[in-house]
Amino acid sequence: MREVLVTGGGGFIGKKVAQELLSRGIQVRLFDLVKSNIKGVNCDYVGSILDPYKLSHVMKGCSHVIHLAAALGVNRTETNRLECLLINIQGTINVLETCVKERVEKIIFASSSEVYGEQPVQPIIEEALLNPKSNYAASKIVGEEFMKAYLETYKMKYNIVRFFNVYGEDQRDEFVVPRFVKNIVNDKHPDIYGEGDQIRCFCYVEDAARGIVDVLSSPAESEIFNIGNDSEPISMKDLASKIIKISNKNLKPQFVSYDDSDRDSHRDIIQRIPSVEKAKKELGYKPKVSLEEGLKKMIGFYEVKNNC
Ligand SMILES: NC(=O)c1ccc[n+]([C@@H]2O[C@H](COP(=O)([O-])OP(=O)(O)OC[C@H]3O[C@@H](n4cnc5c(N)ncnc54)[C@H](O)[C@@H]3O)[C@@H](O)[C@H]2O)c1
């Protein structure tokens, strides 16, 4: 592997991916709308994946690409639906076109567990029938399909990673774990949408970064891997209570109806538990950080932030 370009390298997962690559002795270039300021990377380019000329310039000489740049978050992808399609579909096509032009050996595409929607069978395996419920999920499926089309047309090698609920310090506040932790650290009740029975499995960001770099480093081709932490499914109301307990606060979760939130009850997924057996067997992937450990790190992060 000569050098890896990480698109979205200034983002929440992208920065950890850069650190993971560097820790394995792999040379890294980053490309994002924002600078990452990660020490040790060869270049930290600022620009958009909607700009093919800039993409060509930053990808020159790279043998591998991890494509993370995307529009995400319910607010952003449902309010600005066209922008989401433009970045996640046209942006991904631009990245693929540039990979062909610059003779990149292999690309890893970051997709999402959102593509599964509601599933009758849990844990969810990679072969499950896709059932997207949102603009964002549909845009990720289109991205996946373009990976397959480029393999057919240009023999472009790829793998797809479907991340399941990644969390950690530095994540934007609109996602559930930082939203709960931030409120609780600031002595505010955490807001739960609906009844709080939605089940998720949360994966600490360093485990997610290890997972995608494991996929990059493996000889696997044209494969899809779920990357998440399958060990501790938890409901939203239990998650809120757990954070309150770890923080040692006297607070209670506050239930908010969907009508008063940015969520849509028809689009909310009730249960989402990943099967990561394929990644465990084929890549030796193993999530290491327990939910309690990850939450403690986040609580510490917000406490320090408050004192600054
Ligand atoms: N966080 C999760 O739980 C999760 C779950 C499933 C999938 N994913 C996927 O993982 C990837 C990384 O997500 P994240 O959580 O780090 O989100 P993030 O928003 O922190 O990172 C995305 C990055 O993409 C950049 N970006 C957006 N538009 C761009 C453009 N036009 N050109 C260049 N850069 C652009 C943003 O500036 C941002 O830094 C995304 O593809 C996302 O869909 C994340």
Side-chain angles (χ1 to χ4, degrees), residues 19 22 48 84 89 108 148 163 178 196 203 210 221 239 242-243 247 252 254 273 278 297:
Q19 285 164 338
L22 291 170
S48 172
C84 165
I89 299 175
I108 311 298
K148 296 176 197 163
F163 284 127
C203 178
R210 265 194 288 274
E221 276 178 34
L239 175 70
K242 193 177 177 81
I243 302 170
S247 313
K252 281 209 164 13
Q254 189 166 288
I273 300 171
K278 181 175 173 183
K297 286 180 196 236

Side-chain angles (χ1 to χ4, degrees), residues 59 62-67 92-109 143-160 220-223:
M59 210 183 278
C62 288
S63 60
H64 291 69
V65 170
I66 297 183
H67 177 38
T92 297
I93 295 169
N94 289 349
V95 171
L96 277 166
E97 283 286 331
T98 314
C99 285
V100 172
K101 193 171 153 211
E102 298 303 334
R103 299 179 194 281
V104 164
E105 288 168 29
K106 196 171 182 180
I107 175 168
I108 311 298
F109 174 60
E144 292 191 7
E145 290 302 316
F146 270 104
M147 293 292 134
K148 296 176 197 163
Y150 271 68
L151 172 77
E152 286 292 318
T153 316
Y154 300 105
K155 309 285 171 249
M156 176 91 241
K157 292 181 192 166
Y158 73 90
N159 285 313
I160 292 165
E221 276 178 34
S222 328
E223 294 284 345

Side-chain angles (χ1 to χ4, degrees), residues 7-14 31-34 47-50 67-72 76 87-88 109-114 136 140 161-167 170-172 175:
T7 72
F12 163 57
I13 298 177
F31 186 50
D32 200 307
L33 298 173
V34 291
S48 172
I49 54 169
L50 297 176
H67 177 38
L68 297 171
L72 59 148
R76 185 164 177 205
I87 295 172
N88 294 2
F109 174 60
S111 184
S112 166
S113 57
E114 290 287 332
Y136 169 72
K140 286 292 182 183
V161 165
R162 291 181 182 150
F163 284 127
F164 280 68
N165 293 89
V166 183
Y167 74 103
D170 241 3
Q171 189 173 24
R172 275 182 287 130
F175 290 89

